[in-house]
Amino acid sequence: MSKKPAAIRGTNDFIAEDAARFDQVVETFRRVARLYNFNSVHVPVFEHTGVFARSLGETTDVVAKEMYTFEDRSGDSVTLRPEFTAGIARAYISNGWQQHGQMKLAAWGPCFRYERPQKGRFRQFHQLDAEMLAAPDPMADVEILAFGQQLLEELGIAKSVTLRLNTLGDPESREAWQTALLSHFRAHEPELSADSRDRLARNPLRILDSKDAADRAIVADAPVIDDYLSSEAGAWFAAVQEGLSAAGIAFERDARLVRGLDYYRHTAFEFVTDALGAQGTVLGGGRYDGLIEAMGGPPTPAIGWAAGIERLALLLPGAAGGKVDVAFIPMDREAELVGVRLLGALRSGGGISAETFARGNMKKRMQRADASGARLALILGEDERARRRVQVKDLAAGDQTALAYGDIGFIGGYMAELRLREMEGEGAEMPPFSAWLPATMLTTR
RNA sequence: GCGACUGUAGCUCAGCUGGUUAGAGCGCUGGUUUGUGGUACCAGAGGUCGCGGGUUCGAACCCCGUCAGUCGCCCCA
């Protein structure tokens, strides 16, 4: 045990169902992204440390204690990305992407944060990310939220997730609100929890979502952003809500919702669930109009969100593992060689997935073929070779028929029809292979 | 960074108040009349009981430390 190499804390190795769930999340994301015309962007996994330190806010926990930062061989300080947005903003500036006008970008991959692992939280985790750059219209907020909503729907988890929405206003509104909040909390400072007294100095907004009971009482009658919104900021928020209603997207106004990272303005949102314990946020984001300019680029209004792939995968009802269409069972070495050619034809010519089961006795081979989920088993021995045929056994129906080498293409046809029926939910009505095969093809053993 | 709980075969776990060769199920390997599964049976391989130290005549069971996992705080996807 002690001699086994250990994975780094907070990293995961996973296969089979877990991997299938992960893949399903990513594949669904990519498919839905296409529907909304979000195109792929690929950015580095690491950046100069300043890219994250400046954009996220020096006092945020992510920057203060959670970054994977190290010196490379030249002595430069580099950091593994804790999120996507800063790197994409940097790429936008570095490459002059303002030439493209509005951009809708989608990315996914690993991110890194040095934290204590917990349910749905890891040191290497994976995010889906969507960004709309140079998008100065409340309808962009609506569109990117619709993307997120549809993603959750197509993953089949929309029922267990609710959208919470708030606005942080424009810089003037936010500033005025924050000042009011600060004086409110200062007035109650002795009653605040130790954590919140600490937050008072670092990030007073965070007191709003404290879990401490005493804090919540003080938060209950804290100033609300609505009273400090400029007319422009109020109009923006109204437009977003109107658009969401038109799109049929349900949301809850949460006046205490704030975002951890400094760059957020206007719309802020989270899709939350209570099925994941303390890590309820499954997809979150908001508008960050000032970020790109603050990083040295042109003024660029933008909005984006990120979703935790592991968290989404945990909510997935279930995922089909790696099934194979056809199992090939050779009786001897010679049959294996013939099989290489037959399976090659099925795979490249017919798009059929196939696996060979050549170990153990016949019983074991059949057991494994069955466990593989294959619908058909192809059995090839000396007798069959002499007549240039294979035995085709329908593993669901249990019956078996012989098929000439030259007619092997029918297997592709059968599997194609089976797949079609399964897609339409009537896979059970698929006749056995022997009944499906035209009568003239039926061969006696 | 703080707290609680847990750590026995590949996996899920038993192991009574510390006492001779540490068990089960699943999985894996082989077999049960020559080439047939999903529903049988037999056999086998596999564990320095996370690691280190201590208490004891004796520890998987008690104590300390350490590492890891889980959950919570913090923070966030």
Side-chain angles (χ1 to χ4, degrees):
Chain A
M1 268 281 198
S2 60
K3 294 198 178 107
K4 288 181 182 173
I8 287 180
R9 180 168 215 191
T11 65
N12 293 105
D13 312 302
F14 49 94
I15 56 173
E17 280 183 42
D18 294 333
R21 287 163 177 271
F22 187 101
D23 290 348
Q24 192 186 326
V25 171
V26 174
E27 282 162 18
T28 305
F29 171 70
R30 291 178 57 78
R31 184 163 49 75
V32 178
R34 296 280 328 135
L35 302 179
Y36 284 80
N37 194 31
F38 278 70
N39 296 302
S40 286
V41 56
H42 295 282
V43 292
V45 167
F46 61 158
E47 298 274 357
H48 293 296
T49 298
V51 169
F52 303 116
R54 284 197 298 274
S55 65
L56 299 181
E58 305 282 355
T59 62
T60 60
D61 275 28
V62 171
V63 171
K65 58 178 199 187
E66 294 175 1
M67 293 204 307
Y68 267 97
T69 297
F70 54 95
E71 281 188 8
D72 68 13
R73 286 171 184 274
S74 73
D76 290 345
S77 179
V78 299
T79 295
L80 301 180
R81 67 179 174 214
E83 53 122 49
F84 275 92
T85 304
I88 291 174
R90 189 236 85 220
Y92 185 87
I93 299 166
S94 304
N95 301 300
W97 283 346
Q98 64 265 34
Q99 68 180 303
H100 296 116
Q102 178 177 293
M103 299 182 87
K104 294 156 73 174
L105 300 175
W108 74 271
C111 297
F112 304 84
R113 255 119 100 156
Y114 191 86
E115 303 182 274
R116 285 286 288 270
Q118 227 171 288
K119 186 188 186 81
R121 177 214 276 183
F122 309 100
R123 287 189 175 177
Q124 175 175 335
F125 60 108
H126 299 77
Q127 282 191 341
L128 309 174
D129 187 84
E131 311 284 352
M132 290 179 78
L133 304 166
D137 189 301
M139 286 310 286
D141 305 35
V142 175
E143 180 174 8
I144 206 166
L145 274 163
F147 175 12
Q149 172 72 26
Q150 185 167 347
L151 171 66
L152 298 175
E153 279 167 10
E154 303 226 356
L155 287 171
I157 61 181
K159 294 106 12 204
S160 48
V161 173
T162 61
L163 169 59
R164 294 223 288 251
L165 184 74
N166 197 20
T167 179
L168 302 173
D170 49 33
E172 300 75 45
S173 309
R174 179 173 164 150
E175 186 66 28
W177 179 45
Q178 199 159 332
T179 307
L181 269 179
L182 209 53
S183 60
H184 174 75
F185 289 134
R186 286 247 167 77
H188 296 274
E189 184 162 356
E191 307 144 57
L192 285 172
S193 67
D195 275 334
S196 287
R197 280 200 296 278
D198 190 45
R199 282 188 271 237
L200 212 43
R202 288 201 342 269
N203 193 350
L205 289 189
R206 295 248 62 116
I207 299 175
L208 290 174
D209 53 15
S210 169
K211 285 165 187 159
D212 183 88
D215 288 352
R216 297 189 79 90
I218 299 168
V219 165
D221 50 15
V224 190
I225 179 74
D226 301 52
D227 299 329
Y228 300 86
L229 284 181
S230 66
S231 58
E232 294 80 20
W236 187 287
F237 192 43
V240 171
Q241 295 179 76
E242 189 188 2
L244 288 177
S245 299
I249 297 172
F251 63 92
E252 272 174 29
R253 173 68 201 281
D254 180 353
R256 295 193 309 278
L257 173 70
V258 291
R259 308 250 67 225
L261 309 179
D262 280 358
Y263 51 63
Y264 287 106
R265 298 286 182 272
H266 287 294
T267 313
F269 55 88
E270 289 182 352
F271 286 87
V272 298
T273 178
D274 51 14
L276 289 180
Q279 275 63 239
T281 303
V282 116
L283 184 155
R287 183 162 277 280
Y288 52 92
D289 289 349
L291 174 66
I292 291 175
E293 186 175 10
M295 288 177 74
T300 309
I303 183 167
W305 54 248
I309 296 180
E310 287 86 353
R311 291 182 185 181
L312 292 171
L314 281 170
L315 293 177
L316 242 44
K323 275 176 104 179
V324 90
D325 296 322
V326 168
F328 175 60
I329 301 176
M331 298 311 305
D332 52 28
R333 179 63 71 186
E334 186 69 19
E336 266 190 271
L337 293 174
V338 176
V340 171
R341 213 178 67 244
L342 288 180
L343 295 194
L346 285 173
R347 292 198 267 236
S348 50
I352 300 297
S353 63
E355 178 62 270
T356 300
F357 298 91
R359 288 174 54 221
N361 58 25
M362 187 61 178
K363 184 179 182 70
K364 295 287 184 198
R365 294 176 192 210
M366 288 301 292
Q367 277 178 351
R368 292 198 179 94
D370 184 52
S372 76
R375 171 70 182 230
L376 300 178
L378 307 189
I379 302 161
L380 184 66
E382 210 177 331
D383 296 353
E384 288 80 15
R385 281 205 306 285
R387 297 175 210 182
R388 301 187 56 77
R389 298 175 185 160
V390 288
Q391 291 290 332
V392 180
K393 177 157 187 170
D394 186 320
L395 289 171
D399 70 340
Q400 189 167 316
T401 183
L403 189 70
Y405 287 177
D407 295 331
I408 203 114
F410 281 97
I411 289 171
Y414 183 78
M415 291 308 308
E417 185 172 338
L418 177 62
R419 254 177 265 168
L420 192 65
R421 291 196 186 220
E422 278 174 349
M423 242 188 284
E424 290 167 355
E426 48 190 45
E429 293 167 34
M430 189 69 187
F433 184 72
S434 59
W436 177 87
L437 206 58
T440 51
M441 293 296 159
L442 282 175
T443 319
T444 50
R445 307 190 162 211

Coordinates of all heavy atoms in Angstrom, one line a residue, chain A residues 59-99:
Chain A
T59 N -7.6 41.0 -3.2 CA -8.1 40.6 -1.9 C -9.0 39.3 -1.9 O -9.3 38.8 -0.9 CB -8.9 41.7 -1.2 OG1 -10.0 42.0 -2.0 CG2 -8.0 42.9 -1.0
T60 N -9.3 38.9 -3.1 CA -10.1 37.7 -3.2 C -9.3 36.5 -2.7 O -8.1 36.4 -2.9 CB -10.6 37.4 -4.6 OG1 -9.5 37.2 -5.5 CG2 -11.5 38.6 -5.1
D61 N -10.1 35.5 -2.1 CA -9.4 34.3 -1.7 C -8.7 33.6 -2.8 O -7.6 33.0 -2.6 CB -10.4 33.4 -1.0 CG -10.6 33.7 0.4 OD1 -10.4 34.9 0.7 OD2 -10.9 32.8 1.2
V62 N -9.3 33.6 -4.0 CA -8.7 32.9 -5.1 C -7.3 33.4 -5.3 O -6.3 32.6 -5.5 CB -9.5 33.1 -6.4 CG1 -8.8 32.6 -7.6 CG2 -10.9 32.4 -6.2
V63 N -7.1 34.7 -5.3 CA -5.7 35.2 -5.5 C -4.9 35.1 -4.2 O -3.7 34.8 -4.3 CB -5.8 36.7 -6.0 CG1 -4.4 37.3 -6.0 CG2 -6.5 36.8 -7.3
A64 N -5.5 35.4 -3.1 CA -4.7 35.5 -1.9 C -4.2 34.2 -1.4 O -3.1 34.1 -0.9 CB -5.6 36.1 -0.8
K65 N -4.9 33.1 -1.6 CA -4.4 31.8 -1.1 C -4.7 30.6 -1.9 O -4.3 29.5 -1.5 CB -5.0 31.6 0.4 CG -6.5 31.6 0.4 CD -7.0 31.4 1.9 CE -8.4 30.9 1.9 NZ -9.0 30.8 3.2
E66 N -5.3 30.7 -3.0 CA -5.7 29.5 -3.7 C -5.0 29.3 -5.1 O -5.3 28.3 -5.7 CB -7.2 29.5 -4.0 CG -8.0 29.4 -2.7 CD -9.5 29.6 -2.9 OE1 -9.9 29.7 -4.1 OE2 -10.3 29.5 -2.0
M67 N -4.1 30.2 -5.5 CA -3.5 30.0 -6.8 C -2.3 29.0 -6.8 O -1.6 29.0 -5.8 CB -3.1 31.3 -7.3 CG -4.2 32.3 -7.6 SD -3.8 33.5 -8.9 CE -2.4 34.3 -8.2
Y68 N -2.2 28.3 -7.8 CA -1.1 27.4 -8.0 C 0.0 28.2 -8.8 O -0.1 28.4 -10.0 CB -1.4 26.2 -8.8 CG -1.8 25.0 -8.0 CD1 -3.1 24.7 -7.7 CD2 -0.8 24.2 -7.5 CE1 -3.5 23.6 -7.0 CE2 -1.2 23.1 -6.7 CZ -2.5 22.8 -6.5 OH -2.8 21.7 -5.7
T69 N 0.9 28.8 -8.0 CA 1.8 29.8 -8.6 C 3.2 29.2 -8.4 O 3.6 28.7 -7.4 CB 1.7 31.1 -7.9 OG1 0.4 31.7 -8.1 CG2 2.8 32.1 -8.4
F70 N 4.1 29.3 -9.4 CA 5.4 28.9 -9.3 C 6.3 29.6 -10.3 O 5.8 30.3 -11.2 CB 5.5 27.4 -9.6 CG 5.0 26.9 -10.9 CD1 5.8 26.7 -12.0 CD2 3.6 26.6 -11.0 CE1 5.2 26.3 -13.2 CE2 3.0 26.2 -12.2 CZ 3.9 26.1 -13.3
E71 N 7.6 29.5 -10.1 CA 8.5 30.1 -11.0 C 9.0 29.2 -12.1 O 9.3 28.0 -11.8 CB 9.8 30.6 -10.3 CG 9.6 31.9 -9.5 CD 10.9 32.4 -8.9 OE1 11.9 31.9 -9.3 OE2 10.8 33.4 -8.2
D72 N 9.0 29.6 -13.3 CA 9.5 28.7 -14.4 C 11.0 28.9 -14.4 O 11.6 29.6 -13.6 CB 8.8 29.0 -15.7 CG 9.2 30.3 -16.3 OD1 10.2 30.9 -15.8 OD2 8.6 30.8 -17.3
R73 N 11.7 28.2 -15.3 CA 13.1 28.2 -15.3 C 13.8 29.5 -15.6 O 15.0 29.7 -15.3 CB 13.6 27.1 -16.4 CG 13.4 25.7 -15.9 CD 13.7 24.7 -17.0 NE 13.4 23.4 -16.5 CZ 14.2 22.6 -15.8 NH1 15.4 23.0 -15.6 NH2 13.9 21.4 -15.4
S74 N 13.0 30.4 -16.2 CA 13.6 31.7 -16.4 C 13.4 32.7 -15.2 O 13.8 33.8 -15.2 CB 13.0 32.3 -17.7 OG 11.7 32.7 -17.4
G75 N 12.6 32.2 -14.2 CA 12.4 33.0 -13.0 C 11.1 33.8 -13.1 O 10.8 34.5 -12.2
D76 N 10.4 33.6 -14.2 CA 9.1 34.3 -14.3 C 8.0 33.6 -13.4 O 8.1 32.4 -13.3 CB 8.5 34.3 -15.7 CG 9.3 35.1 -16.7 OD1 10.1 36.0 -16.1 OD2 9.2 35.0 -17.9
S77 N 7.2 34.4 -12.8 CA 6.1 33.8 -12.0 C 4.9 33.5 -12.9 O 4.4 34.4 -13.6 CB 5.7 34.8 -10.9 OG 4.6 34.3 -10.1
V78 N 4.5 32.2 -12.9 CA 3.4 31.8 -13.7 C 2.4 31.1 -12.8 O 2.7 30.6 -11.7 CB 3.8 30.9 -14.8 CG1 4.8 31.5 -15.8 CG2 4.5 29.6 -14.3
T79 N 1.1 31.0 -13.3 CA 0.1 30.5 -12.5 C -0.8 29.6 -13.3 O -1.2 30.0 -14.4 CB -0.7 31.6 -11.8 OG1 0.1 32.4 -10.9 CG2 -1.9 31.1 -11.1
L80 N -1.2 28.5 -12.8 CA -2.2 27.6 -13.4 C -3.5 28.3 -13.3 O -3.9 28.8 -12.2 CB -2.2 26.2 -12.8 CG -0.9 25.4 -12.7 CD1 -1.2 24.1 -12.1 CD2 -0.4 25.2 -14.2
R81 N -4.3 28.3 -14.4 CA -5.5 29.1 -14.4 C -6.5 28.6 -13.3 O -6.8 27.4 -13.2 CB -6.2 29.1 -15.7 CG -6.7 27.7 -16.1 CD -7.4 27.8 -17.5 NE -7.8 26.4 -17.9 CZ -7.8 25.9 -19.1 NH1 -7.4 26.7 -20.1 NH2 -8.1 24.7 -19.4
P82 N -7.0 29.6 -12.5 CA -8.1 29.2 -11.5 C -9.4 29.4 -12.2 O -10.4 28.9 -11.6 CB -7.9 30.2 -10.4 CG -7.3 31.4 -11.1 CD -6.5 30.9 -12.3
E83 N -9.5 29.9 -13.4 CA -10.8 30.1 -14.1 C -10.4 30.6 -15.5 O -9.3 30.8 -15.8 CB -11.6 31.2 -13.4 CG -10.8 32.5 -13.2 CD -11.5 33.7 -13.8 OE1 -12.7 33.9 -13.6 OE2 -10.8 34.4 -14.6
F84 N -11.4 30.7 -16.3 CA -11.2 31.0 -17.7 C -11.2 32.4 -18.1 O -10.5 32.9 -19.0 CB -12.2 30.3 -18.6 CG -11.9 28.9 -18.9 CD1 -12.4 27.8 -18.1 CD2 -11.2 28.6 -20.1 CE1 -12.1 26.5 -18.4 CE2 -10.9 27.2 -20.4 CZ -11.3 26.2 -19.6
T85 N -12.0 33.2 -17.5 CA -12.3 34.5 -18.0 C -11.1 35.4 -18.1 O -10.9 36.1 -19.2 CB -13.4 35.3 -17.1 OG1 -14.5 34.4 -17.0 CG2 -13.8 36.6 -17.6
A86 N -10.2 35.4 -17.1 CA -9.1 36.3 -17.2 C -8.2 36.0 -18.4 O -7.7 36.8 -19.1 CB -8.3 36.2 -15.9
G87 N -8.0 34.7 -18.6 CA -7.1 34.2 -19.7 C -7.7 34.6 -21.1 O -7.0 35.0 -22.0
I88 N -9.0 34.5 -21.2 CA -9.7 34.8 -22.4 C -9.6 36.3 -22.7 O -9.4 36.8 -23.8 CB -11.2 34.3 -22.4 CG1 -11.2 32.8 -22.5 CG2 -11.9 34.9 -23.6 CD1 -12.5 32.2 -22.4
A89 N -9.8 37.1 -21.6 CA -9.7 38.6 -21.7 C -8.3 38.9 -22.1 O -8.1 39.8 -23.0 CB -10.0 39.2 -20.4
R90 N -7.3 38.3 -21.6 CA -5.9 38.5 -21.9 C -5.7 38.2 -23.4 O -5.1 39.0 -24.1 CB -5.0 37.7 -21.1 CG -3.5 38.0 -21.2 CD -2.8 36.7 -21.5 NE -2.8 36.6 -23.0 CZ -2.9 35.4 -23.6 NH1 -3.1 34.3 -22.9 NH2 -2.9 35.3 -24.9
A91 N -6.2 37.1 -23.9 CA -6.1 36.7 -25.3 C -6.7 37.7 -26.2 O -6.2 38.1 -27.3 CB -6.7 35.3 -25.5
Y92 N -7.9 38.3 -25.7 CA -8.6 39.3 -26.5 C -7.7 40.5 -26.8 O -7.6 41.0 -27.9 CB -9.9 39.6 -25.8 CG -10.8 40.6 -26.5 CD1 -11.8 40.1 -27.3 CD2 -10.7 42.0 -26.3 CE1 -12.7 41.0 -28.0 CE2 -11.6 42.8 -26.9 CZ -12.6 42.3 -27.8 OH -13.4 43.2 -28.4
I93 N -7.0 40.9 -25.7 CA -6.2 42.1 -25.8 C -4.9 41.7 -26.6 O -4.5 42.4 -27.5 CB -5.8 42.6 -24.4 CG1 -7.1 43.0 -23.6 CG2 -4.8 43.7 -24.5 CD1 -6.8 43.1 -22.1
S94 N -4.3 40.6 -26.3 CA -3.0 40.2 -26.9 C -3.1 40.1 -28.4 O -2.2 40.5 -29.2 CB -2.5 38.9 -26.4 OG -2.4 38.9 -25.0
N95 N -4.3 39.6 -28.9 CA -4.4 39.3 -30.3 C -5.3 40.3 -31.0 O -5.6 40.2 -32.2 CB -5.1 37.9 -30.5 CG -4.2 36.8 -29.8 OD1 -3.1 36.6 -30.2 ND2 -4.8 36.2 -28.8
G96 N -5.7 41.4 -30.3 CA -6.5 42.4 -31.0 C -7.8 41.9 -31.5 O -8.2 42.2 -32.6
W97 N -8.5 41.1 -30.7 CA -9.7 40.5 -31.2 C -10.9 41.5 -31.3 O -12.0 41.1 -31.8 CB -10.1 39.3 -30.3 CG -9.3 38.1 -30.5 CD1 -8.5 37.8 -31.6 CD2 -9.2 36.9 -29.7 NE1 -7.9 36.6 -31.5 CE2 -8.3 36.0 -30.3 CE3 -9.8 36.6 -28.5 CZ2 -8.0 34.8 -29.8 CZ3 -9.5 35.3 -27.9 CH2 -8.6 34.4 -28.6
Q98 N -10.7 42.7 -31.0 CA -11.7 43.7 -31.2 C -12.1 43.8 -32.6 O -13.1 44.3 -33.0 CB -11.4 45.0 -30.5 CG -10.2 45.8 -31.1 CD -9.0 45.5 -30.3 OE1 -8.8 44.4 -29.8 NE2 -8.1 46.5 -30.2
Q99 N -11.1 43.4 -33.5 CA -11.3 43.5 -34.9 C -12.5 42.6 -35.3 O -13.1 42.8 -36.4 CB -10.1 43.0 -35.7 CG -9.8 41.5 -35.5 CD -8.6 41.1 -36.2 OE1 -8.4 41.2 -37.4 NE2 -7.6 40.6 -35.5

